[in-house]
Amino acid sequence: MTSNLLSTFDPRNGRLVARYPCADAAQVAQVCQRARQVFFDSWRVLPAARRSQALHSVAQYLRAHLAEFAAAEAADTGKSLAGAAGEVEGAAALWEYAAALARVEHSETLGSSTGSGLALTLREAMGVVGMIVPWNYPLITTAERLPFALAAGCSVVLKPSELAVGSLALLVAHLQENPLFPTDVVQLLYGAGAAVGQALTRHPAVDMIAFVGSTATGRAIETAAVACGKRVSAELGGNNQVLVYPDADLGAAADAVIAGGLRNGGQACIAGTHVLVDPMVADAFVLELEQALQRRYPAADATSLPAGLQPMITLQHKQRIQGLLQQGLQQGGHLLQGSRLDGPGQYLGPVLVDRVSADSILRQQEIFGPVITVCRVPAGQFNAIVADNHYGLAAYVWTGSSSTALAVVRQLRAGRIWVNANPEFWLPELPVGGFADSGVGREGGIRALETYSLPKAVIIN
Ligand code: NAD
């Protein structure tokens, strides 16, 4: 209606979901200043045990309101309710883990090398964190960062994507009314990335940017933030390889590729969508892949919409993927059974392309949709092909040999590696992040608070 409102839509049918007030430059400044004040006045100085208790209460709240959060998370992302419910449960586990970490003392005491006095380090919270997240997993990408930043003692200004807010409005409303948190320790800013995101990235009251999104935006944010003296943690795009060795359990590997590669309509940064399979087993693997597709995404006939497939976030995103497919298929490749190059509205796919060359545009660009490619090459060439990829977010290895698995995981430069497993198997105790074009820094895991704090060196005479 008016230009200062942000509207989000249901990708399944294009219906309006919600309208949010967009912040202007003055409001961005006001929110950042307020975050600085809350950081210094209350949150930073609160004992760690109290911060832990507060974080714990959020995990409990998420579980108690699981259905409400799942419905909100699904409404503008187009997820299934069951998928969204699993994400709320995953987010609760991350808040719980951060609550435990908040109490872990991680300073050091050092003997003095001169023989007198005592040296120690104390960790100091980074300050105000600007947190910018994407549309595909609003709650989970936030849960991988926000509770850890809070555990370290930071205050946070959170900016969701303009395409989907998911359940973040609900989450921040709860944090605002929860008496265990000072008011405004977490605030929301709505608006376009190029306006509100950029203003947040540059505001002098902000000490750090924690970003999740595309590589291009991430690089621009890193440059802008570092130029203003801010620290940056960024988890970016991926183009993830699945290595299928001749001794792999082909049925399990194919099932995991369909489950993980098409999850969220393939709009997942860690989706394993690019299969490298040894020619010795390629025919058998491809057959398993077609069968797994039919099992997981059954369709009445060749033209009807497969059950359970998620739509693309926007029509433009669908059209971009179709453009890539058109170019890629001109370079070669063979569509497997069950593939659909179009669908109603914002729906597309699934698309399974066999006999794709290693340098096909379909393997070189992040497609971010329900497209799985199969490249048939001898296992001896897997490492070289993977090393050629500029992304380093996730990788999947399928082999019956533990020595092959160990050799390969040592070789791979990817932030997350699954061996004989699909990505649904994950633990909040593990760090996340990428190599190369997939990002800088690490989030989560046992050292998560180090991302949001710095050591102060102290000498006591
Ligand atoms: P995007 O980069 O377009 O936007 C991400 C966020 O950045 C949004 O909130 C957007 O408003 C904001 N933004 C855009 N331009 C900005 C600017 N100039 N300054 C500040 N903020 C700005 O990404 P997207 O389309 O929302 O998400 C899809 C991308 O995110 C894919 O590349 C995907 O791989 C990546 N992603 C990565 C992870 C991960 O954990 N590595 C997780 C989810 C998504």
Side-chain angles (χ1 to χ4, degrees):
M1 190 180 65
T2 59
S3 60
N4 59 352
L5 285 180
L6 167 75
S7 303
T8 61
F9 301 91
D10 184 339
R12 286 163 285 219
N13 49 34
R15 282 194 206 118
L16 178 74
V17 171
R19 286 205 169 98
Y20 302 93
C22 286
D24 60 21
Q27 284 160 335
V28 173
Q30 199 180 7
V31 162
C32 294
Q33 293 294 358
R34 173 76 184 128
R36 188 146 206 86
Q37 188 192 356
V38 180
F39 168 68
F40 279 113
D41 291 354
S42 38
W43 190 242
R44 167 182 178 261
V45 291
L46 199 72
R50 296 267 302 279
R51 287 204 295 267
S52 170
Q53 196 187 1
L55 296 174
H56 218 283
S57 75
V58 179
Q60 288 170 329
Y61 187 85
L62 284 168
R63 291 203 177 102
H65 297 80
L66 192 138
E68 196 186 339
F69 272 81
E73 192 71 3
D76 56 7
T77 57
K79 295 174 195 296
S80 69
L81 277 179
E87 289 163 30
V88 179
E89 185 51 52
L94 284 159
W95 280 84
E96 203 164 54
Y97 182 61
L101 276 190
R103 298 187 68 136
V104 175
E105 176 57 64
H106 53 289
S107 299
E108 299 153 325
T109 311
L110 309 164
S112 163
S113 54
T114 61
S116 64
L118 185 66
L120 53 94
T121 65
L122 290 174
R123 294 217 66 105
E124 172 67 24
M126 203 67 86
V128 177
V129 179
M131 204 164 274
I132 302 175
V133 295
W135 49 264
N136 59 341
Y137 287 97
L139 186 67
I140 280 283
T141 51
T142 300
E144 284 170 344
R145 290 159 182 81
L146 177 58
F148 299 98
L150 291 171
C154 298
S155 62
V156 176
V157 179
L158 179 62
K159 197 205 88 62
S161 164
E162 53 273 53
L163 298 180
V165 172
S167 56
L168 295 181
L170 269 183
L171 176 71
V172 176
H174 167 64
L175 295 173
Q176 289 282 8
E177 70 190 17
N178 183 328
L180 298 175
F181 290 92
T183 310
D184 293 339
V185 71
V186 180
Q187 300 170 89
L188 266 176
L189 282 178
Y190 298 107
V196 175
Q198 207 168 98
L200 178 62
T201 305
R202 290 168 197 266
H203 196 276
V206 175
D207 300 282
M208 173 180 172
I209 296 295
F211 174 75
V212 194
S214 63
T215 300
T217 307
R219 290 284 183 255
I221 285 178
E222 283 164 25
T223 307
V226 170
C228 307
K230 302 182 197 316
R231 285 182 166 72
V232 179
S233 171
E235 207 184 344
L236 309 176
N239 216 5
N240 311 302
Q241 313 283 322
V242 184
L243 280 50
V244 181
Y245 285 84
D247 58 0
D249 177 338
L250 300 179
D255 197 58
V257 168
I258 296 297
L262 299 180
R263 191 167 61 156
N264 223 49
Q267 301 164 119
C269 57
I270 54 164
T273 47
H274 297 305
V275 177
L276 295 175
V277 60
D278 191 287
M280 273 165 58
V281 294
D283 284 343
F285 175 77
V286 160
L287 198 63
E288 294 280 2
L289 211 52
E290 287 176 327
Q291 288 168 357
L293 180 68
Q294 181 55 30
R295 264 195 317 276
R296 290 225 175 220
Y297 294 94
D301 55 58
T303 52
S304 54
L305 189 66
L309 194 70
Q310 191 174 318
M312 300 300 95
I313 186 74
T314 58
L315 201 54
Q316 291 88 321
H317 185 50
K318 169 179 162 174
Q319 288 162 348
R320 176 191 156 268
I321 296 170
Q322 286 179 317
L324 280 171
L325 278 167
Q326 204 177 10
Q327 288 182 61
L329 289 169
Q330 275 165 8
Q331 296 174 348
H334 165 73
L335 285 177
L336 292 178
Q337 210 178 337
S339 295
R340 286 163 172 76
L341 295 173
D342 204 353
Q346 288 170 216
Y347 285 90
L348 159 76
V351 182
L352 270 52
V353 199
D354 188 14
R355 299 184 185 275
V356 167
S357 67
D359 59 358
S360 162
I361 190 170
L362 294 179
R363 285 180 40 86
Q364 297 299 323
Q365 295 224 0
E366 186 187 33
I367 298 177
F368 223 56
V371 180
I372 287 168
T373 71
V374 178
C375 174
R376 299 173 175 226
V377 278
Q381 294 177 23
F382 285 2
N383 280 343
I385 291 174
V386 174
D388 230 22
N389 189 307
H390 296 288
Y391 291 100
L393 194 64
Y396 300 82
V397 182
W398 289 89
T399 174
S401 152
S402 52
S403 59
T404 300
L406 278 178
V408 176
V409 297
R410 286 203 176 99
Q411 184 73 22
L412 284 170
R413 285 169 70 77
R416 307 189 215 185
I417 304 171
W418 282 263
V419 178
N420 298 333
N422 87 19
E424 269 156 39
F425 180 23
W426 189 250
L427 303 171
E429 291 85 349
L430 287 168
V432 298
F435 286 84
D437 281 353
S438 293
V440 292
R442 286 293 176 272
E443 302 280 352
I446 191 111
R447 298 200 175 80
L449 271 49
E450 290 178 14
T451 300
Y452 293 101
S453 63
L454 287 170
K456 296 187 286 198
V458 182
I459 292 277
I460 301 175
N461 200 355

